[in-house]
């Protein structure tokens, strides 16, 4: 059974702090790892990673994948209250039967 | 910016009734998906759909579920004879992907289904 484990499950920080969210996985026929931000309803796409060691960056957010150790991290620098959300890690696996397996998410709370 | 849309945003139904959840995927996307999220739990894959047929389905997607693309824009999830445990947020997603190339999936805002 495919597994995606995120840690920590929740995190409370102050504005300006830097946070690192973790995602480890065990899946058959790995294809990609995706990070989403879920605020109220729909998960909003952040990054998709397919290759080890290549950092993807968007503003204050960055992410990297290690396919040997089977994990990814999502970094957020200079956090803002608007970063408060659940961050979901999902792993895409399969070929024509491609699907995403999600972790439970990390609830990030950024206090002013 | 193109987005996935879903209707209704909230559906309340009685146990045993049939419901149809509707989705309009992003127009140039080829792959369509349904996921569900029971309150407090993780997002779970239900089914993927490509070229007018199911590509993959999970154990959750049993005979009470069906999907259809009735026209060029809509993608529906039908749940026959709903049960209390079907209460969840149902997300539709779509992606450009062709086989062998996997693009990011974009999610709709969800339909909250409440079965009473």
């Amino acid at each position: 059974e495919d597994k995606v484990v995120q840690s920590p499950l929740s995190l409370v920080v102050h504005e300006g702090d830097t946070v690192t969210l973790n995602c480890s996985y065990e899946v058959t026929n790995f294809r990609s790892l995706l990070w989403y931000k879920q605020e109220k309803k729909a998960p909003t796409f952040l990054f998709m990673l397919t290759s080890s060691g290549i950092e993807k960056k968007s503003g204050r957010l960055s992410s990297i994948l290690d396919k040997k150790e089977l994990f990814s991290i999502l970094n957020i620098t200079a956090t803002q209250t608007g970063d408060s959300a659940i961050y979901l890690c999902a792993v895409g696996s399969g070929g024509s039967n491609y699907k995403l397996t999600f972790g439970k998410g990390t609830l990030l709370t950024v206090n002013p | 910016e193109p987005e996935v849309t879903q209707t209704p945003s909230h559906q309340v139904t009685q146990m045993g009734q049939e419901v149809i959840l509707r989705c309009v995927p992003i127009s140039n996307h080829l792959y369509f998906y349904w996921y569900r999220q029971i309150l407090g739990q993780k997002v779970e894959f239900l089914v993927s759909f490509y070229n007018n047929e199911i590509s993959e389905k999970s154990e959750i997607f049993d005979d009470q579920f069906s999907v259809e693309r009735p026209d060029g824009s809509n993608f529906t999830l039908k749940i026959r004879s709903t049960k209390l445990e079907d209460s969840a947020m149902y997300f539709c997603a779509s992606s450009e992907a062709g086989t062998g190339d996997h693009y990011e999936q974009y999610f709709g805002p969800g339909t909250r289904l409440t079965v009473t």
Side-chain angles (χ1 to χ4, degrees), chain A:
Chain A
E1 186 186 329
D2 294 345
K3 261 195 269 189
V4 178
V5 178
Q6 292 186 246
S7 64
L9 289 181
S10 68
L11 190 55
V12 181
V13 300
H14 290 290
E15 262 192 320
D17 288 351
T18 292
V19 297
T20 297
L21 310 183
N22 304 292
C23 176
S24 63
Y25 62 90
E26 284 178 41
V27 301
T28 306
N29 196 7
F30 172 90
R31 291 289 190 159
S32 53
L33 186 143
L34 297 91
W35 285 97
Y36 289 87
K37 179 181 181 183
Q38 187 175 27
E39 290 178 270
K40 291 182 182 175
K41 286 188 177 178
T44 306
F45 173 77
L46 294 175
F47 297 111
M48 184 172 77
L49 303 146
T50 55
S51 301
S52 265
I54 298 173
E55 186 183 52
K56 290 229 174 168
K57 202 167 166 63
S58 174
R60 298 175 294 102
L61 277 67
S62 63
S63 183
I64 197 159
L65 173 67
D66 185 328
K67 287 168 75 172
K68 186 178 172 191
E69 300 297 329
L70 308 183
F71 78 90
S72 173
I73 59 171
L74 174 69
N75 278 321
I76 308 175
T77 58
T79 51
Q80 302 170 356
T81 54
D83 295 327
S84 296
I86 297 173
Y87 289 84
L88 300 174
C89 173
V91 174
S93 60
S96 57
N97 56 347
Y98 182 79
K99 64 175 184 183
L100 293 182
T101 301
F102 281 82
K104 288 185 177 178
T106 294
L107 173 61
L108 174 65
T109 304
V110 182
N111 289 324

Side-chain angles (χ1 to χ4, degrees), chain B residues 10-21 79 81-84 86-87 112-116:
Chain B
H10 191 188
Q11 173 95 45
V12 181
T13 190
Q14 287 190 324
M15 205 165 50
Q17 296 296 304
E18 175 183 286
V19 294
I20 297 177
L21 310 183
I79 311 174
S81 191
T82 48
K83 300 179 274 201
L84 292 175
D86 294 328
S87 295
R112 176 158 296 288
L113 176 65
T114 302
V115 182
T116 62

Side-chain angles (χ1 to χ4, degrees), chain A residues 4 31-32 34 36 38 40-43 45 48 50 88 94-104, chain B residues 9 31 33 35 37 42-45 48 55-56 89 91 99-100 102-110:
Chain A
V4 178
R31 291 289 190 159
S32 53
L34 297 91
Y36 289 87
Q38 187 175 27
K40 291 182 182 175
K41 286 188 177 178
F45 173 77
M48 184 172 77
T50 55
L88 300 174
S96 57
N97 56 347
Y98 182 79
K99 64 175 184 183
L100 293 182
T101 301
F102 281 82
K104 288 185 177 178
Chain B
S9 57
Y31 276 70
Y33 307 84
Y35 293 84
Q37 186 175 32
K42 56 172 127 177
V43 177
E44 300 173 289
F45 169 78
S48 60
S55 306
E56 176 72 356
M89 181 72 89
F91 291 110
T99 304
H102 297 286
Y103 293 82
E104 53 268 26
Q105 294 180 19
Y106 291 90
F107 284 72

Side-chain angles (χ1 to χ4, degrees), chain B:
Chain B
E1 189 177 323
E3 56 184 22
V4 178
T5 59
Q6 290 184 244
T7 54
S9 57
H10 191 188
Q11 173 95 45
V12 181
T13 190
Q14 287 190 324
M15 205 165 50
Q17 296 296 304
E18 175 183 286
V19 294
I20 297 177
L21 310 183
R22 300 179 195 282
C23 168
V24 179
I26 294 172
S27 62
N28 64 330
H29 285 188
L30 301 175
Y31 276 70
F32 314 119
Y33 307 84
W34 284 101
Y35 293 84
R36 78 170 185 192
Q37 186 175 32
I38 295 171
L39 192 63
Q41 297 187 26
K42 56 172 127 177
V43 177
E44 300 173 289
F45 169 78
L46 292 178
V47 66
S48 60
F49 191 85
Y50 170 70
N51 200 26
N52 281 320
E53 57 185 34
I54 290 174
S55 306
E56 176 72 356
K57 58 184 181 178
S58 71
E59 293 171 355
I60 302 166
F61 193 88
D62 60 22
D63 290 344
Q64 69 164 146
F65 292 92
S66 62
V67 288
E68 195 178 30
R69 187 148 163 86
D71 53 45
S73 58
N74 289 283
F75 178 51
T76 62
L77 174 70
K78 184 191 288 186
I79 311 174
R80 286 182 280 277
S81 191
T82 48
K83 300 179 274 201
L84 292 175
E85 54 264 39
D86 294 328
S87 295
M89 181 72 89
Y90 287 81
F91 291 110
C92 173
S94 69
S95 67
E96 286 183 70
T99 304
D101 267 329
H102 297 286
Y103 293 82
E104 53 268 26
Q105 294 180 19
Y106 291 90
F107 284 72
T111 292
R112 176 158 296 288
L113 176 65
T114 302
V115 182
T116 62

